[in-house]
């Protein structure tokens, strides 16, 4: 017990039970999560660990009272770590660098929370954050948590339409944004994108707080928009608001099978307990370590491991506004590791493929002292063994592939370096992390044997920190994830478990594709294509790409009588996807075809088209309606350089 009355719990004491859990397949051990719950600060400690009386709506620590911002900042300052660095900001695209201590960050967050409170934000209100990778994004998120308000961060690479959809669903009182973001080749003017989204949205937030960046000054709408810096001058710091453990910490929208994004809701208590737990057990970090998730605050990785996890554990988190290559060269990551003594790096395999492509021999690595680096974690997409082997050889540290999703908030399967390191098997994210029981089921819901492919499912209850529902959509939560395999969470991934208990994640079972580690819905892109006035029918498939893992490719059938050149229409739909979904969709390939290949029952044969596009062996499916259609598809894919 420390001076503040918090129970300080050493996980090493519990190592044996963890290893038992690990070896025996993860068992959801209520006592275990009760003990993990003692590692965080509660205003009122929970007397109940798990309420699973209303499945699939599982509630952890239901009568606990806590605050995420308190656990991220105040606790460390009270415990004497105020002068330690909380955030390092490094921006090769602007040349800016800064270092923020825990004490300074607490002050800035408490004052921004004061500004939000003065503008009427209270516990439970939503605040939408549409920001580039600057410390103010993290400050806005923590300020919401301080007030018990629910933030919803939207990734900067999404266009106005996607932003508008999220504004209408989350109905925020305030939007926090910036004048611009900076991509290597261009300035992305965020404010006009936001203004356009606000015109499109039915819901009208009462305020926008805009961070003016020196690269571009945004025009503010009088009476609605506030300048971040100016408004902050008179803001008063405010304290944390105690919230119930199951009060939402945030909503994060992610792609599903349709164009309607799903608002993943994460609760407060479970998030704090689980993320702090993972920082020691999975990533093996200690307070004071420098932890770098090279992602973006707009993704779940950014929420869990740029903002909350490292700060809950008293680490220094690194915010990097740049790319792995081109800012200025493929040595960018090694420069950052050397300059700040990064201990753990987490990114997507695509970043390493980009580096490897430009520097196959790893010559840039030799230019820097990266001896501080203890491990590299990869996630967001399947990690191909080539990339894993290259990184292992060049960096000389354990390279850990781990599998997780926006819904889970932290790794389902991983080598847990803070527990014991298992042998690394390229192509597998190792075994389930304690707390997850992963199984493989066939279409009928029966367990399959080792090595047999099926749907990867997780036995209920999901551990703390997993999503507790979808915003405004309890029914969709239950039907999308829990109805097909009763008693299980359906991950949407397919794969197998080998005889050693290693899990292999092979493919999605739905329309989701992974482009440069970004999750996209082909269904959403199809909706944009189908809305073009000349398009009668369309299909979007994810095709293999050496660098980005997958890329979307569209095939469109035109309405009868359309006489405009096909190329013009192809270009228009490509632009339309960029305008309506955003540049992040990376949609650049589209071809006009006379017909789409279908089964006799009218189902589009996407798998066959994908095989043709990827140059894999394919056979004419027995169920095909008109086999000749495939010849035309092959010809068009050939023209697009895809067969
Ligand atoms: N705001 C606005 N636009 C953005 C953006 C943002 N925050 N992030 C990306 N974009 C734009 C890019 O500029 C690009 O636009 P373009 O079509 O005009 O070139 C487009 O969206 C596609 O971006 P991306 O898929 O990221 O491709 P890229 O070529 O810019 O970079 C990588 C490729 C591999 C270097 C980059 O994706 C990367 O570093 N990925 C690994 C880390 C990561 O993001 N992980 C996420 C989950 S862990
Ligand atoms: P997201 O919700 O954006 O994090 O994307 C989650 C999806 O990315 C998962 O459902 C998988 O399809 C894929 N994914 C993430 N990590 C891995 C991994 N280590 N191996 C294979 N696929 C992964």
């Amino acid at each position: 017990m420390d001076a503040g009355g918090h129970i300080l719990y050493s996980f090493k004491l519990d190592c044996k039970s963890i290893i038992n859990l690990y070896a025996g397949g993860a068992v959801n051990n209520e006592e275990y999560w009760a003990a993990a719950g003692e590692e965080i600060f509660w205003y009122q400690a929970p007397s109940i660990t798990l309420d699973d009386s209303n499945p699939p709506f599982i509630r952890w620590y239901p009568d606990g009272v806590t605050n995420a911002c308190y656990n991220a900042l105040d606790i460390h300052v009270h415990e004497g770590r105020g002068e330690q660095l909380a955030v390092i900001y490094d921006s090769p695209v602007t040349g800016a660098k800064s270092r923020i201590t825990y004490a300074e960050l607490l002050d800035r967050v408490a004052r921004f929370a004061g500004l939000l409170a003065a503008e009427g934000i209270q516990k439970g209100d939503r605040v939408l954050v549409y920001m580039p990778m600057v410390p103010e994004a993290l400050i806005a998120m923590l300020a919401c948590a301080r007030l018990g308000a629910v933030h919803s961060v939207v990734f900067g690479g999404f266009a106005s339409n996607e932003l508008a959809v999220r504004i209408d669903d989350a109905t925020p009182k305030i939007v926090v944004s910036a004048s611009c973001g900076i991509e290597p080749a261009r300035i992305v003017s965020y404010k006009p994108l936001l203004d356009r989204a606000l015109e499109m949205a039915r819901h009208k937030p009462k305020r926008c707080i805009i961070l003016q960046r020196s690269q571009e000054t945004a025009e503010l709408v009088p009476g609605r928009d506030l300048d971040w810096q100016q408004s902050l001058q008179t803001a008063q710091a405010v304290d944390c608001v105690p919230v119930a453990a199951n009060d939402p910490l945030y909503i994060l929208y992610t792609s599903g099978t349709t164009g309607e994004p799903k608002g993943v809701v994460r609760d407060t208590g479970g998030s704090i307990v689980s993320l702090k737990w993972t920082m020691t057990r999975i990533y093996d970090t200690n307070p004071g370590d420098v932890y770098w998730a090279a992602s973006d605050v707009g993704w779940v990785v950014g929420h869990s491991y740029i903002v909350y996890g490292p700060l809950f554990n008293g680490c220094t988190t690194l915010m990097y506004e740049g790319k792995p290559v081109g800012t200025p060269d493929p040595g960018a990551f090694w420069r950052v590791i050397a300059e700040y003594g990064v201990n753990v790096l987490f990114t997507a395999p695509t970043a390493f493929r980009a580096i490897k492509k430009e520097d196959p021999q790893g010559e840039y690595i030799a230019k820097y002292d990266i001896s501080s680096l203890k491990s590299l974690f990869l996630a967001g997409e399947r990690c191909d063994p080539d990339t894993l082997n290259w990184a292992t050889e060049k960096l000389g540290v354990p390279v850990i592939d781990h599998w997780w999703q926006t819904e889970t908030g932290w790794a389902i399967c991983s080598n847990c370096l803070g527990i014991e390191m298992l042998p690394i098997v390229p192509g597998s994210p190792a075994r389930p992390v304690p707390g997850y029981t992963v199984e493989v089921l066939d279409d009928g819901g029966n367990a399959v044997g080792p090595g047999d492919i099926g749907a990867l499912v997780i036995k209920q209850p999901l551990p703390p920190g997993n999503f507790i529902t979808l915003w405004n959509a309890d029914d969709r939560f239950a039907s999308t994830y829990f109805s097909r395999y009763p008693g299980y969470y359906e991950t949407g991934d397919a794969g197998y478990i080998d005889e050693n208990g290693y899990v292999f994640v092979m493919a999605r079972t739905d329309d989701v594709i992974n482009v440069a580690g970004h999750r996209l819905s082909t269904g959403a892109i199809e909706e944009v294509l189908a809305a073009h006035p000349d398009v009668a029918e369309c299909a979007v498939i994810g095709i293999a790409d050496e660098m980005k893992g997958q890329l979307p490719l569209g095939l469109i059938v035109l309405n009868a009588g359309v006489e405009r050149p096909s190329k013009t229409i192809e270009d228009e739909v490509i632009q339309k996807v960029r305008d309506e979904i955003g540049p992040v969709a990376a949609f650049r390939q589209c071809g006009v075809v006379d017909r789409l290949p279908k089964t006799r029952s009218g189902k589009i044969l996407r798998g066959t088209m994908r095989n043709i596009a990827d140059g894999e062996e394919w056979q004419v499916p027995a169920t095909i309606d008109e086999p000749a259609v495939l010849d035309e598809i092959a010809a068009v894919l050939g023209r697009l350089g895809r067969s």
Side-chain angles (χ1 to χ4, degrees), residues 451-507:
D452 289 342
I453 289 198
L456 286 164
V457 297
I458 303 170
K459 204 164 180 23
Q460 275 277 59
L462 292 168
N466 275 248
F467 69 152
I468 58 166
T469 191
L470 294 177
W471 186 253
N472 285 335
D474 284 347
D475 289 349
R476 192 177 178 199
F477 172 77
S479 63
T480 308
Y481 297 103
F482 298 95
S483 64
R484 180 139 184 223
Y485 303 105
Y488 292 92
Y489 162 72
E490 186 182 353
T491 64
D493 284 314
Y496 65 93
I497 303 180
D498 74 6
E499 57 289 348
N500 297 315
Y502 275 60
V503 175
F504 290 75
V505 184
M506 306 307 289

Side-chain angles (χ1 to χ4, degrees), residues 35-48:
E38 291 177 9
E39 297 178 26
I40 76 155
F41 169 81
W42 299 96
Y43 295 101
Q44 179 188 302
S47 67
I48 304 164

Side-chain angles (χ1 to χ4, degrees), residues 300 380-382 401-406 493 505 508 514 519:
V300 68
E381 56 175 327
R382 183 159 193 277
D401 174 16
H402 60 336
W403 167 52
W404 53 297
Q405 313 180 307
T406 304
D493 284 314
V505 184
R508 289 288 303 190
N514 241 295
R519 176 165 157 181

